[in-house]
Amino acid sequence: MIRWPLDKIRRAVDGRWAIKPAAPDRPIAGLSTDTRTLASGQLFVALRGEFFDGHAFISQAGAHGAPAVLIDSPDALVEPARLALQHHGCGVITVASTDDALLELGAAYRRTLTRTRVVAVTGSAGKTTAVRFIDAALGLSLHGSASIKSFNNAIGVPLTILAADEQSDYLVCEIGMNAPGEIAELAAITAPDIAVITSIGRAHIGELGSIEAIAREKASLLPDLTPGGLAVVPVGGEMGGEYLEPYLGPVPQLVRFGAAETADIRIQRAHHTDRGTLAVEFAGGPNVELPLIGRHNAANAAAAVAVARAFNLDPSVIARGLARTHAPEMRFEPETIAGATIYNDAYNASPESVRAAIDTFAEVGAPAQRRVIVLGDMLELGVHAEPTHREIAAAIAKTNPPDVVIAIGLMAPAVVDELLERGYTGESAIYSELTPEIATRLAARLEPGDAVLVKGSRRLGLERLVTAARTRAGVATQPSTRVEAAG
């Protein structure tokens, strides 16, 4: 982690001392943006969010052992706070914007990681899973780190960089977007040696307008590749690789992955095993077994194999590394509760990820006594929302139709209407939102032997159905993993 002296940090962010610390030459022990988890010796960066303002907690930061706090509001230094900070010998650096300062500090620290190869991962779907695969493939024999959870925005990316060890062999950063131009901004501070684009799909099409614009946005990761850098991209087909072709000409080195014959990392076969794993065979090796399900994950594994080969790792080492992957939570995560198997895929949803979830559920849920799909709205589709939801409903009706479909959100009526038009004869229900009461009611309807797919965009919070099922069964509720992230 970053261990720079306080005064070096002040200079890196073009800040000034509002209160000089007791020891300005003292190295920090990393940094934190949350006083609840801040450890003694960490710099506290006061950020603002929709529901919080870190400036309200600078006194607590000093009491918890922060050697300094970084602020952009002099108004935060009211007399009680100033006295408390001075009492603890805690300095105060003021800047124009703590958000910008965090990015500047991340960029400055990235420039010191001269022995570390940085891998940046973006894409319309599969980013977090690909990051986990790459970290697992490399981490068995190399020293490094990766984004935690989905730290992929203007806060999470610099925090990932600043947590890296200067002696690391690798660092894997997830790069997302909430607005056009954000990927380019994050690419500039990340300066990747290897850039991975997992897929091009219709996530964010409501804002960006077309899949061509989405590809352009994702490809903005590529111009900041270091000299001689490598891009790992999908080959055409379902992963949308053809939309990237206009941007690949200037790339120094290129590796394509996928099932097509033209792929450099070619998926020959992917199938589910009776152990609840996904076995994937690659042309020329390795053959790997992944501790998660969903044939679409073969593409994410292929991207990881491409990266690991760039590190000159032996195929057997790559296979062993991938076999120990810790799958991201709420990505088709199976859990048996009171005899019902729930596949929790509620982290997020785009048209492509929903289709993949439906296809996987049609296969793994086939032996169940009753199959239930709980489908929430796919958000950020704009004018494409209704036709895209109808497209998904048509796929549900066609692909081994389930016994029950519960549609949740503003698009729920369109989903059920399309199902009925397609001749669906199972049970269906419409809810405008998943309230705690409705979640409890739906959980009470689940029966032993059921297979249930829960899929929807992040803001719908469909994991509340899983929590309600645990509560009803007397199972301890797992800690919340809800993290707002860029797509």
Side-chain angles (χ1 to χ4, degrees):
M1 69 183 76
I2 186 169
R3 295 186 181 276
W4 288 1
L6 289 169
D7 212 44
K8 182 175 180 178
I9 289 173
R10 179 190 62 79
R11 294 193 301 271
V13 298
D14 194 26
R16 67 176 186 84
W17 289 119
I19 299 176
K20 201 160 187 177
D25 295 328
R26 171 187 172 186
I28 64 169
L31 56 80
S32 174
T33 60
D34 189 338
T35 55
R36 294 170 298 182
T37 56
L38 182 144
S40 180
Q42 289 185 323
L43 172 73
F44 176 67
V45 182
L47 301 175
R48 291 185 185 82
E50 186 177 356
F51 304 110
F52 68 91
D53 184 351
H55 291 80
F57 302 98
I58 59 174
S59 296
Q60 289 94 317
H64 293 169
V69 298
L70 185 67
I71 67 170
D72 60 18
S73 174
D75 293 341
L77 282 179
V78 293
E79 195 62 19
R82 176 182 290 274
L83 291 174
L85 292 167
Q86 288 175 330
H87 171 73
H88 294 290
C90 181
V92 178
I93 302 171
T94 61
V95 293
S97 164
T98 51
D99 287 345
D100 291 346
L102 186 61
L103 288 167
E104 291 164 5
L105 188 58
Y109 187 62
R110 163 63 181 104
R111 291 192 289 270
T112 71
L113 301 177
T114 53
R115 78 176 309 275
T116 305
R117 295 179 73 182
V118 176
V119 183
V121 181
T122 194
S124 296
K127 294 184 294 296
T128 304
T129 302
V131 167
R132 296 290 168 269
F133 283 161
I134 293 167
D135 187 30
L138 300 180
L140 189 63
S141 54
L142 300 174
H143 172 57
S145 58
S147 303
I148 62 171
K149 298 181 181 178
S150 289
F151 274 26
N152 64 16
N153 58 18
I155 296 172
V157 172
L159 288 177
T160 297
I161 295 170
L162 292 164
D165 183 346
E166 288 182 286
Q167 300 306 309
S168 290
D169 299 306
Y170 71 88
L171 170 65
V172 190
C173 295
E174 181 176 337
I175 308 290
M177 61 158 284
N178 283 314
E182 188 171 4
I183 289 177
E185 179 183 48
L186 297 176
I189 75 162
T190 306
D193 300 290
I194 301 175
V196 178
I197 301 177
T198 59
S199 63
I200 300 298
R202 287 170 287 177
H204 296 292
I205 199 169
E207 184 170 7
L208 293 172
S210 68
I211 198 159
E212 290 81 7
I214 292 168
R216 182 171 60 250
E217 182 68 24
K218 302 303 181 183
S220 64
L221 181 66
L222 303 177
D224 283 290
L225 275 168
T226 54
L230 169 69
V232 176
V233 300
V235 173
E238 295 180 355
M239 294 181 291
E242 66 272 20
Y243 297 103
L244 289 171
E245 290 300 321
Y247 309 100
L248 301 180
V251 172
Q253 299 183 74
L254 186 64
V255 171
R256 290 178 168 89
F257 64 90
E261 291 288 337
T262 54
D264 301 296
I265 307 296
R266 183 161 62 88
I267 304 164
Q268 284 189 317
R269 182 172 181 244
H271 67 279
H272 293 113
T273 73
D274 56 9
R275 295 179 295 280
T277 61
L278 180 69
V280 185
E281 300 172 11
F282 294 101
N287 295 336
V288 304
E289 189 168 335
L290 307 171
L292 74 175
I293 52 180
R295 293 176 193 268
H296 56 283
N297 283 307
N300 295 322
V305 169
V307 173
R309 285 186 179 179
F311 278 79
N312 297 316
L313 296 186
D314 185 89
S316 64
V317 173
I318 298 172
R320 292 202 308 274
L322 287 172
R324 68 190 190 103
T325 302
H326 294 290
E329 294 173 298
M330 292 197 294
R331 271 79 161 190
F332 218 93
E333 183 179 18
E335 182 177 353
T336 300
I337 304 173
T341 301
I342 302 178
Y343 296 95
N344 182 357
D345 203 6
Y347 186 81
N348 220 333
S350 66
E352 288 73 25
S353 70
V354 173
R355 284 297 302 269
I358 290 169
D359 290 344
T360 301
F361 184 67
E363 180 180 352
V364 301
Q369 295 179 15
R370 185 177 66 156
R371 290 168 296 119
V372 180
I373 291 181
V374 180
L375 180 67
D377 279 0
M378 301 174 289
L379 303 180
E380 301 176 339
L381 296 178
V383 297
H384 304 272
E386 182 168 340
T388 304
H389 282 82
R390 287 184 175 274
E391 172 192 319
I392 295 300
I396 292 173
K398 179 181 179 181
T399 309
N400 191 13
D403 302 287
V404 181
V405 175
I406 298 168
I408 298 173
L410 296 178
M411 289 292 108
V415 168
V416 172
D417 180 61
E418 186 69 24
L419 282 171
L420 297 177
E421 286 189 13
R422 297 281 176 166
Y424 177 71
T425 58
E427 180 184 348
S428 60
I430 294 172
Y431 297 96
S432 60
E433 61 178 321
L434 185 67
T435 64
E437 293 75 20
I438 292 172
T440 299
R441 194 186 318 157
L442 293 177
R445 294 181 56 191
L446 299 183
E447 302 171 358
D450 283 355
V452 185
L453 170 63
V454 180
K455 181 69 173 175
S457 282
R458 184 80 235 72
R459 291 205 298 271
L460 274 72
L462 297 190
E463 71 276 8
R464 285 176 292 187
L465 174 58
V466 184
T467 301
R470 292 192 196 115
T471 300
R472 184 170 182 272
V475 178
T477 299
Q478 297 177 359
S480 172
T481 59
R482 185 165 184 169
V483 178
E484 300 301 336

